[in-house]
Amino acid sequence: MLPMLSARLLLCLVLLLAPPAWAGSVTLLLSDSTGPYAEFSSNFSEALNSRRWTIHLVPKADAYTPGAPPTDLIVTAGSEALRQALQRAPPGTPILATLLPRQAFERLVGESARPGRRLTGVVLDQPPARLTAFIRYLLPGQTRIGLLTSPETRTFLSALRQSSGNLQFDSEDVDNDTALLPALNGLLPRVGALLALPDAAIYRRDNLKSILITTYRQQRPVIAYSSAFVTAGALAALYSTPTQIARQAAELIEQPGTLPVIVYPTQFAIAINANVAQALGLNVPDEASLRRSMLGEGGR
Amino acid sequence: MNHLTLRHRLLILTLLPSLLIGIALVIYFTVSGIRSLESELHAKGLSTARYLAPVSEYGIITGQLENLHTLALATNQEPSVKATVIVNQRGRALAVSGRVSMASETLRQKLDKPGLVAETESWLAYGAPVFRSVSESDSLFDPTQPSDKPLAQEVIGHVFIELDKSILITRQHDLLIRGLMIVLVGMIILATLAIAVADNLSRPVMRLVNAVRAMSEGKLSTRVPPASTGELGILEQGFNEMAKNLDEIHQSLQTRIEEATVQLAFQARHDALTGLLNRREFEIQLEKALAAVQAGGDQCSVLFIDLDRFKPVNDNCGHLAGDEVLRQISQLFQGRLRDEDTLARLGGDEFGVLLHNCVGPRARQVAEDLCGLAGAYRFIWQDKVFAIGASIGLTQVTREVRNINELLAAGDAACYQAKESGRNQVCEQAAHAPTERRRETGEWVTRISTALAENRLVVEAIPVRARLQHVLGGPLVELTAHLVEPGQPSISLSALLDAAERYELGASIDLRFIEVAIAAMARAHQSGKQIHCLVPLSGSALGRSELITDIARRLAAENISGRGLYLMFSEAASTHNSSRAIDFTRQLRNLGCQIALSDFGSGLSSFSHLRSLTPRLVKLNRSLTRDIGSSRSSTSLLRAIQEITSDLDILTVAEGIDDPTLLEQLDQLGIDFNEGRAIGPREPLDAWLEGVALRTLS
């Protein structure tokens, strides 16, 4: 159902979302005023041409009151900001959602069920091609990569497999918590590394450690989607920072033209946990050379 | 505590606190040691549980029981850990190692942090919750759980461990025993030192104590060796000095006591006033003498001397004079007696003499000599002269005498007899003869009063012979009396007066005489006759005004003049009360009565009385007339007196003339009147009166 909805929305947005080439007012709605959102806010304001755009900042999403002042575009940062915007914003006002996983974006859009709204999401998820390139450069010897998928992320697997090259993706379905570790234990022996996709149904703060310990026990590196995951014990992560996303969002606003419903980040960052690499006996390239290799390939 | 010796006290003082402190320290260190061990154990239990909990997390989450079992076994390897249990969220045991003592309820409880869950004597149980660990994650990817809100930690199970306390208990015992051993060793060392110190201190003190004890038991020569220094040394030195002083004082006190004892012994045996033996000692001497005689020793005699006319000295000049009399008399007697004779003062004016190896006439002679000495003795006090006599009772100490009471009774009776017989003489009585004891005071008072009331006082007339007829114009008679009592020998006037004067009964006898005399005079007057009555009055009569009043009243009642009434005082009595005597005689003369002096010539002041009292008549002392005829000196003395009295127109009377041959001599000397057995016997006054009347009528 979700893919169907996405397709329809995509169509609508392509038709309807015509970014104004002229000056206008932007309402920036933040889920929260701290951490990554603050980083996003400041970089966004910086990147957007202030002579042409006025930015009305709403630092707390639940304090948002629609229509005051009238705005041409709503930019949301974070899942909560999007939720509020979807609920309260006037239907005619286009929304640019940023700084949220694709899974969350799709769920929120599905929940709001307002056809006709112009809405584009700049998601945190990395494009599949970039991911496979990253894996190849990071672990050149590994061809079998395992994934844990929930129903919400299963669609991404096919996209991934399309750009896999010589990589073979093996997956185990995880429908509930109790199935997680058995599934993991079942998957890991079959694969050379675990690729973690952003999936709130699988990777959570309270089971991250168990997952990491399990992978460690089985001497399998984890390729993750955030620097925090790397800090917790994953081998490496491919991700985009709020700054990068903010610049990308500003660029999107400035550029006239239609936008797809989901926009992957154009810029990315790489994090590697050297300790983990050492513990697992892996000789991985450093972040800079990795990035060069990836950019050299032209995989943007 | 009070009955302990110094040594014990010192030992207690030193050892008890040390022992208490030692034990307290041992207990303290044992307890604190155990505490630290306990806290160590506690910390260990807590830390073990705390470590075990997170380690078990993964096993619990993954359900890897082998893994958990390995962990439990590893934990059990830890010293003191006796059991390990890992349970899941619902309290079901996932892994067990060792012997579990905890109850299943304990295993099921929910903990929020590591802690002690159960404790018994022998083990401790700690438990810790196993939390699901939470990692840092990117909040962007975890929109449902905001990163700023801490996630409630999920408890996924528990670990429990049991620690064995037996090691702890063993350690506790070890600590205690080791501590007590140290205390014991310390106490032994301390006790050795304390005993040494206590001995060092208590030994000199004990020496002092023993010395004090010996002192208190009377061993005054006790001394302490001055071996100590410091305060004890001063104490020892001080004790020795004190003991020395005490000893000296005791010695001098002993001397004084001995001296006093000697003095007391002397005083017990002697009379303080005269220095003679006293009655008690005299009786002891008598006992000895009696015993000696009964044992066949030499016989001896006893004299009992009672001074005559001693009382007036005491009455008139006081006791000082009386004492002086007694002293002088005792010296007088002592001078006459041999050294082996015993002179004692038996009390008052009584003396006793024990004449050793002296009986019969010789004893009698000694008694007579003493009597003579006493009779011739004159006591002069200020301007007064007293004649003292002695009535002496003599008794022989023979084998027939059974005890000294017989001797005393006999001597007393003899003395009494001498006094009865007119004083200043010696009477003898055998000790075993029945005796009449001297009457006592109360008896005398009733006897005299009764005699006067019942008219038992028989007044008699002593006939008087006049040298020249009609010198007075009527016959002169001297009144005398004796006491007649049924079943008793009669008592002479001198004895009666003596007693009467002693007990102040003289006045009643005087009044009786005056009554009788005036009655006789009145009776003669009725017959046309005039008689002259010489009435003896007691010494106490002088100065008694009621006597004057009585005489005046009686004379007036009979309507006669007092010219024939010659009131006679003893010279001695008038000497002692001279001023009163002068006044009294003047009053009597105003009544027309005449004054007479008896015993004239016995004192040195006799002649001065002739002027002051101006008597009409004097009765010469018996001693003046006794030796007349045989002694020239007596005769010339008598003549001189006669010359003086005739010059003053004073009549003279010589008494006790028993020998008719003396009468002529007396007549030649010019003595006006004579009386005695040579003149005529005593007869009742009435009979004499009738006789005079008859004679005159015929």
Side-chain angles (χ1 to χ4, degrees), chain B residues 162-322:
Chain B
E162 283 180 21
L163 298 182
D164 199 351
K165 276 166 96 177
S166 62
I167 294 170
L168 198 68
I169 292 163
T170 320
R171 289 283 297 280
Q172 190 170 4
H173 284 153
D174 279 2
L175 268 174
L176 198 62
I177 287 165
R178 226 171 287 162
L180 287 177
M181 286 302 286
I182 291 168
V183 168
L184 187 68
V185 171
M187 285 308 290
I188 289 169
I189 294 168
L190 195 62
T192 318
L193 283 172
I195 287 168
V197 170
D199 283 352
N200 192 23
L201 203 60
S202 67
R203 212 168 284 146
V205 173
M206 279 316 292
R207 275 205 298 270
L208 275 168
V209 167
N210 289 333
V212 168
R213 202 173 285 155
M215 282 286 280
S216 66
E217 282 166 4
K219 293 173 193 157
L220 294 178
S221 57
T222 310
R223 297 291 184 275
V224 185
S228 304
T229 54
E231 289 92 338
L232 282 171
I234 295 168
L235 214 58
E236 285 167 351
Q237 211 177 325
F239 174 83
N240 284 345
E241 280 169 16
M242 265 164 42
K244 188 166 147 256
N245 289 340
L246 209 61
D247 203 4
E248 283 171 6
I249 289 167
H250 184 261
Q251 293 294 345
S252 73
L253 197 67
Q254 199 61 41
T255 316
R256 278 160 62 187
I257 287 170
E258 279 164 12
E259 285 171 3
T261 309
V262 168
Q263 199 180 341
L264 277 176
F266 181 84
Q267 282 177 359
R269 291 169 62 226
H270 291 79
D271 171 46
L273 180 65
T274 56
L276 302 176
L277 294 181
N278 59 15
R279 177 180 275 274
R280 221 177 115 262
E281 189 60 23
F282 185 69
E283 285 174 1
I284 291 167
Q285 297 285 344
L286 270 187
E287 291 268 18
K288 282 185 191 165
L290 181 60
V293 169
Q294 282 171 342
D298 293 325
Q299 288 199 331
C300 46
S301 310
V302 187
L303 306 183
F304 289 88
I305 305 169
D306 195 322
L307 296 186
D308 300 330
R309 291 183 290 273
F310 172 70
K311 190 172 180 296
V313 178
N314 254 355
D315 288 352
N316 291 300
C317 305
H319 289 284
L320 281 177

Side-chain angles (χ1 to χ4, degrees), chain B residues 275-447:
Chain B
L276 302 176
L277 294 181
N278 59 15
R279 177 180 275 274
R280 221 177 115 262
E281 189 60 23
F282 185 69
E283 285 174 1
I284 291 167
Q285 297 285 344
L286 270 187
E287 291 268 18
K288 282 185 191 165
L290 181 60
V293 169
Q294 282 171 342
D298 293 325
Q299 288 199 331
C300 46
S301 310
V302 187
L303 306 183
F304 289 88
I305 305 169
D306 195 322
L307 296 186
D308 300 330
R309 291 183 290 273
F310 172 70
K311 190 172 180 296
V313 178
N314 254 355
D315 288 352
N316 291 300
C317 305
H319 289 284
L320 281 177
D323 291 350
E324 187 55 34
V325 168
L326 293 172
R327 263 195 293 273
Q328 289 184 7
I329 288 284
S330 57
Q331 280 173 8
L332 201 64
F333 289 168
Q334 194 75 68
R336 171 64 187 83
L337 295 170
R338 300 168 302 172
D339 283 348
E340 63 258 40
D341 296 331
T342 306
L343 174 62
R345 183 176 169 220
L346 304 181
D349 55 353
E350 292 176 40
F351 293 86
V353 182
L354 178 59
L355 299 169
H356 289 280
N357 197 15
C358 178
V359 288
R362 278 175 58 210
R364 177 99 199 168
Q365 185 54 52
V366 173
E368 292 286 359
D369 286 354
L370 292 180
C371 191
L373 279 172
Y377 169 73
R378 293 292 179 273
F379 175 65
I380 303 164
W381 186 262
Q382 290 161 354
D383 60 338
K384 293 165 191 167
V385 177
F386 295 90
I388 310 283
S391 300
I392 299 179
L394 169 63
T395 186
Q396 309 287 339
V397 182
T398 59
R399 280 181 204 177
E400 286 75 27
V401 178
R402 278 166 299 184
N403 53 41
I404 63 159
N405 287 337
E406 284 185 7
L407 281 175
L408 292 170
D412 200 33
C415 184
Y416 173 66
Q417 196 187 332
K419 205 152 261 280
E420 292 283 280
S421 316
R423 310 186 199 178
N424 211 24
Q425 52 191 289
V426 178
C427 284
E428 186 172 352
Q429 187 154 347
H432 47 83
T435 56
E436 186 202 353
R437 294 306 307 255
R438 195 182 290 205
R439 274 108 182 144
E440 297 307 322
T441 314
E443 200 187 348
W444 270 114
V445 175
T446 44
R447 270 178 86 183

Side-chain angles (χ1 to χ4, degrees), chain B residues 676-689:
Chain B
R677 266 176 252 161
I679 315 304
R682 296 174 179 192
E683 54 187 324
L685 183 63
D686 292 343
W688 178 82
L689 199 58

Side-chain angles (χ1 to χ4, degrees), chain B residues 49 52-53 56 60 68-69 71-73 75-76 81-88 91-104 106-108 125-128 130 157-162:
Chain B
L52 184 59
S56 310
I60 294 171
L68 291 177
H69 197 67
L71 277 177
L73 279 175
T75 310
N76 249 31
V81 177
K82 69 183 264 281
T84 310
V85 183
I86 302 172
V87 300
N88 67 8
R92 200 167 64 78
L94 300 177
V96 176
S97 174
R99 280 188 55 196
V100 179
S101 310
M102 283 177 284
S104 54
T106 313
L107 294 177
R108 274 199 291 277
Y126 291 89
V130 180
H158 288 91
V159 296
F160 293 98
I161 56 159
E162 283 180 21

